């Protein structure tokens, strides 16, 4: 006969997090869970503060998007609950408002981070930047170029579409310290 073993209970501090994770999973799957009230789920304080900061300074389309998610804690958490990370393939994210997505703010912030890194490196600072035909690629490349130039980095920005191998060549040929390619070649349409 099988024996029943009592499982240890989760610490009280974990319960809101576990509830939120379960709720988000079921919500993304399209399963409604009326017994879990989205308003009662404890929202990450960081996400709420970032959301409010953006809301205070937003206008136009960004303000409209922020108002659209205003009463949806799961959406606020998704857009503002974490910062993007740089992995082996660069930064991968969907475009949208918030620090967890690609937008003019996060692209500029990332370029400024690269500028700060290069400032600590020896030698002349140069960066080649290329982009492809995907939505906002040229705009994001220009934002990167401006942020780097403001930091005193000599920028070589392609004036036309640039596949990644061309950028790799430019970095070596122009003796650049860094290279940036704005592409969504491995991402979904979002």
């Amino acid at each position: 006969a099988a024996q029943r073993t009592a499982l240890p209970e989760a610490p009280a501090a974990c319960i809101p997090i576990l509830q939120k994770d379960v709720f988000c999973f079921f919500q993304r799957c399209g399963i409604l869970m009326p017994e879990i009230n989205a308003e009662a789920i404890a929202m990450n304080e960081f996400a709420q503060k970032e959301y409010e900061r953006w809301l205070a300074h937003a206008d136009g389309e960004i303000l409209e998007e922020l108002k659209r998610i205003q009463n949806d804690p799961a959406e606020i958490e998704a857009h503002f609950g974490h910062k993007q990370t740089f992995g082996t393939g660069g930064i991968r994210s969907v475009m949208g408002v918030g620090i967890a997505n690609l937008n003019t703010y996060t692209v500029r912030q990332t370029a400024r981070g690269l500028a700060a890194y290069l400032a600590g490196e020896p030698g002349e600072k140069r960066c080649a930047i290329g982009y492809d035909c995907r939505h906002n690629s040229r705009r994001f490349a220009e934002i990167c170029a401006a942020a780097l130039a403001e930091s005193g980095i000599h920028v070589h920005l392609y004036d036309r579409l640039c596949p990644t191998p061309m950028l790799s060549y430019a970095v070596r040929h122009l003796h650049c310290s860094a290279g940036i390619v704005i592409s969504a070649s491995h991402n979904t349409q979002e």
Side-chain angles (χ1 to χ4, degrees):
Q3 291 183 352
R4 289 188 167 215
T5 305
L7 296 174
E9 295 219 9
C14 293
I15 291 172
I17 295 168
L18 295 173
Q19 262 191 340
K20 181 187 80 58
D21 290 344
V22 168
F23 177 78
C24 290
F25 172 79
F26 282 105
Q27 186 181 39
R28 285 196 179 104
C29 294
I31 300 168
L32 298 177
M33 294 183 61
E35 67 274 14
I36 298 179
N37 180 349
E39 299 298 324
I41 295 173
M43 185 188 306
N44 179 329
E45 265 186 56
F46 177 78
Q48 186 63 38
K49 285 180 183 177
E50 281 296 309
Y51 172 80
E52 290 169 4
R53 187 172 68 87
W54 276 58
L55 190 60
H57 300 289
D59 60 6
E61 290 178 12
I62 293 173
L63 182 59
E64 288 176 29
E65 179 64 12
L66 291 173
K67 286 182 177 179
R68 184 189 69 75
I69 67 172
Q70 189 169 15
N71 296 318
D72 189 341
E75 279 291 310
I76 292 173
E77 181 78 24
H79 289 272
F80 295 95
H82 66 278
K83 294 181 179 182
Q84 296 178 14
T85 57
F86 191 89
T88 56
I91 293 176
R92 296 184 183 277
S93 184
V94 296
M95 287 187 277
V97 299
I99 61 172
N101 298 314
L102 282 177
N103 52 62
T104 56
Y105 169 78
T106 56
V107 168
R108 180 174 174 76
Q109 183 180 44
T110 302
R112 291 181 69 185
L114 175 60
Y117 170 77
L118 292 176
E121 294 295 302
E124 187 176 354
K125 315 301 187 253
R126 295 172 177 252
C127 183
I129 302 175
Y131 56 92
D132 65 14
C133 64
R134 275 116 178 145
H135 188 60
N136 282 327
S137 288
R138 182 181 178 123
R139 181 173 174 223
F140 288 168
E142 290 170 349
I143 290 168
C144 288
L148 291 168
E150 288 168 1
S151 297
I153 306 220
H154 185 91
V155 175
H156 300 277
L157 175 63
Y158 271 91
D159 61 354
R160 62 186 150 244
L161 302 181
C162 166
T164 303
M166 280 179 63
L167 181 78
S168 296
Y169 174 78
V171 168
R172 288 180 179 85
H173 181 73
L174 299 170
H175 307 287
C176 294
S177 314
I180 299 172
V181 64
I182 307 292
S183 172
S185 60
H186 295 84
N187 293 350
T188 60
Q189 186 176 0
E190 302 84 45

